[in-house]
Amino acid sequence: MRGDGEKVEWRKLMWSNYGVPKWLFILYLALNRRLSTKDRMEKWGVTSYLTCPLCQVEDEDIDYLFFACKFTAGIWKKLLAWQIIHRTEGWWHEEIQWATTYMKSNINKAKVYRMVLVGTIYHVWIERNNRIFQSKQRNEEFMIRHIIKEIHGRGTHHRKIGSRL
């Protein structure tokens, strides 16, 4: 009934993730390039102002927004250090490729990484929307503490990764 569909390489990031369902929904939209970023809205004729609302430096698109933006890169760098992962952060496609290659196993470190990835993407998207639509801004340190607190709160309910946190 379902047919022979092609398996996407990022499926392990979604389906074996202990993240909150709304986090996973935003990740799913991002992985399918369906989030309403400014570059997509410009194609629809909705906006002509393309500057990233988080850093106010470059034009916003999905490749830039989540890991290359100065604001987001600072958050991601500290969250990688919190997980004791020593690597440089890259652009969207580089991070997703690295995650699907190295963090697809069922070891606790990979499970925590996947939760941090999806939690960060969700909270960056919410911060971006708050800055655009409500003129509210949270700083980088607040975002990091908030993401870690939510990851810890969510992860401690699962015996398998609770000890890792």
Side-chain angles (χ1 to χ4, degrees), residues 8-21 23-28 30-32 67 76 92-106 109-119 121:
V8 291
E9 62 185 34
W10 46 262
R11 69 187 180 277
K12 191 73 171 178
L13 295 178
M14 288 287 302
W15 307 126
S16 60
N17 197 319
Y18 292 132
V20 179
W23 298 358
L24 294 169
F25 180 70
I26 295 298
L27 176 66
Y28 179 80
L31 290 168
N32 285 299
F67 300 110
W76 189 238
W92 171 255
H93 64 281
E94 294 167 348
E95 290 294 330
I96 298 303
Q97 183 64 41
W98 188 88
T100 56
T101 303
Y102 296 105
M103 292 296 171
K104 62 183 175 183
S105 69
N106 281 328
K109 182 177 183 176
K111 290 177 183 178
V112 171
Y113 174 86
R114 290 191 299 263
M115 272 184 59
V116 171
L117 175 72
V118 70
I121 289 169

Side-chain angles (χ1 to χ4, degrees), residues 61-101:
D61 64 6
I62 200 157
D63 294 317
Y64 178 76
L65 179 65
F66 289 111
F67 300 110
C69 168
K70 185 175 81 171
F71 178 79
T72 308
I75 292 171
W76 189 238
K77 182 177 181 178
K78 290 181 181 170
L79 288 173
L80 286 174
W82 176 67
Q83 298 175 80
I84 312 170
I85 296 175
H86 304 288
R87 58 181 294 274
T88 57
E89 62 281 349
W91 286 66
W92 171 255
H93 64 281
E94 294 167 348
E95 290 294 330
I96 298 303
Q97 183 64 41
W98 188 88
T100 56
T101 303

Side-chain angles (χ1 to χ4, degrees), residues 142-158:
F142 177 84
M143 294 281 297
I144 293 166
R145 282 193 317 271
H146 185 67
I147 292 168
I148 290 173
K149 183 178 87 173
E150 288 209 10
I151 296 293
H152 193 273
R154 182 81 177 169
T156 54
H157 294 296
H158 301 281

